[in-house]
Amino acid sequence: MTLHPICIGIDVAKAHLDLFHPVTGHHRIDNTAPAIEQWLQPLGGTDPFIVFEATGGYDWVSRCALGQARIRHARLNPTQARRYAQATGRLAKTDRIDAAMLCELGERLAPPPQEAVDASRKHLSDLHKRRDQLTAERAAEKVRLSEARGLCQPVLASLAAHIAWLDRAVGELEASIGLLIEQDGELQRQAALLRTAPGIGFVSAVTLLALMPELGLRQPGSIAALSGLAPFNCDSGTMRGQRHIRGGRGRVRRALYMAALSAVRTNARIRAFYQRLLDAGKPKKLALIAVARKLITILNAMLRDAKPFIA
């Protein structure tokens, strides 16, 4: 007889966690490390499976505690969880209902467990996110400055000063990112491998390291879907619709698209692949998406085999 592990659903909020255990029912605890660790202590010998939604930074303490306790857990896309609730007729939405729904989803669908939290990669992700925020603000300020006609001198000076400050702040973040990678042997090894590939510079390598921890661990089709570069069918009956990419991690997709633009200019093999698509009548944007998908497949194999790109 096979004994299936107990599945526990958690609805994560800023201040508290709503828990649903199939035997003991609902329970609410504070979303703090001491409260979570106290709750996890008696669960250690029961091999439970914990299911919760990704909720930005609010689930970080739970993920750390679950990793330290070596308890298997799945962190789900909220859209997937909501659609499961709708498919099972749950129109109402409360914290208690969601916790019970996540418990049921875990039992029925058995989502794959999450990898243990890597503190260095989380730190890198935080730095990368902040760099993106500042570069976006800098780009907006530069547009405002370029369109400044008839503005008074204090406003022009304010724009110029803010852009200069943003330049320094971005530079400091990039220095912190470089230092973090240098101090972590695995990140340093992966960054060095990634940067041997055409089109992969500092920013694209950091984006992949920060936002794609699965790189090198998944099958090619799976890694393409995660990066938002896998075309999905749209067929019904005799109708054969046009394939479109969708979902995935948008920031990773944008980084790979820019890397593809660079790669077709600098690498003969990738440029030949791109040209064959154009000669076959494919639009330029579609051809570049195909190059980006080829690139992520190559990068995945490079990290899997621990081998640099061969021109």
Side-chain angles (χ1 to χ4, degrees):
M1 181 177 67
T2 302
L3 295 177
H4 296 282
I6 291 176
C7 184
I8 300 173
I10 302 181
D11 184 79
V12 180
K14 181 178 181 179
H16 56 261
L17 305 178
D18 278 273
L19 318 169
F20 181 82
H21 190 290
V23 177
T24 60
H26 288 94
H27 184 52
R28 174 174 284 189
I29 63 173
D30 292 336
N31 190 2
T32 62
I36 295 170
E37 290 168 4
Q38 182 180 1
W39 170 67
L40 289 176
Q41 282 179 359
L43 297 178
T46 61
D47 188 29
F49 184 55
I50 313 293
V51 179
F52 57 94
E53 294 178 351
T55 54
Y58 296 153
D59 60 21
W60 173 242
V61 177
S62 301
R63 293 167 64 193
C64 289
L66 290 167
Q68 292 172 358
R70 299 183 181 278
I71 292 177
R72 297 180 308 116
H73 58 281
R75 184 172 183 254
L76 302 181
N77 185 319
T79 300
Q80 179 186 6
R82 191 68 224 141
R83 288 179 177 171
Y84 175 85
Q86 293 168 342
T88 54
R90 291 177 174 87
L91 301 182
K93 178 174 171 44
T94 67
D95 295 343
R96 290 168 60 91
I97 290 173
D98 284 353
M101 176 272 296
L102 289 167
C103 173
E104 181 184 308
L105 185 155
E107 291 174 342
R108 292 190 176 184
L109 302 186
Q114 203 80 15
E115 296 291 331
V117 171
D118 184 333
S120 292
R121 205 174 289 265
K122 173 63 167 59
H123 189 184
L124 180 63
S125 177
D126 291 342
L127 290 170
H128 174 270
K129 181 177 181 180
R130 183 56 180 162
R131 182 191 177 280
D132 270 2
Q133 291 169 346
L134 294 185
T135 53
E137 180 62 24
R138 181 174 60 181
E141 289 287 75
K142 286 182 176 180
V143 169
R144 296 182 188 108
L145 185 60
S146 69
E147 295 177 348
R149 292 182 176 87
L151 293 179
C152 62
Q153 186 58 36
V155 173
L156 295 174
S158 173
L159 287 168
H162 192 204
I163 291 170
W165 180 88
L166 288 167
D167 285 338
R168 292 192 298 272
V170 169
E172 290 169 1
L173 284 171
E174 290 178 347
S176 298
I177 289 170
L179 182 61
L180 175 63
I181 292 173
E182 288 178 7
Q183 293 174 342
D184 187 289
E186 182 61 17
L187 288 177
Q188 187 179 37
R189 183 188 68 82
Q190 291 188 359
L193 285 173
L194 290 173
R195 296 197 64 176
T196 64
I200 302 297
F202 173 79
V203 175
S204 51
V206 170
T207 301
L208 291 169
L209 290 173
L211 305 182
M212 288 286 286
E214 302 88 351
L215 198 60
L217 304 174
R218 297 288 187 91
Q219 295 298 317
S222 173
I223 209 70
L226 280 175
S227 57
L229 294 168
F232 290 94
N233 296 358
C234 184
D235 302 336
S236 179
T238 59
M239 185 273 289
R240 293 295 177 267
Q242 189 175 11
R243 274 57 173 159
H244 293 280
I245 60 172
R246 71 172 98 173
R249 297 170 192 172
R251 180 64 181 91
V252 173
R253 181 172 60 249
R254 293 195 299 273
L256 289 167
Y257 187 84
M258 298 306 295
L261 280 171
S262 176
V264 297
R265 299 189 188 106
T266 59
N267 183 268
R269 285 170 51 196
I270 292 180
R271 184 166 57 250
F273 172 72
Y274 174 70
Q275 191 60 49
R276 285 198 302 271
L277 293 172
L278 296 182
D279 293 343
K282 304 298 183 184
K284 288 185 177 181
K285 188 173 182 180
L286 188 151
L288 283 170
I289 289 293
V291 170
R293 179 175 180 177
K294 185 178 184 67
L295 196 56
I296 192 64
T297 303
I298 292 171
L299 297 172
N300 187 57
M302 286 166 51
L303 293 194
R304 181 195 65 208
D305 301 336
K307 293 181 180 179
F309 182 82
I310 300 175

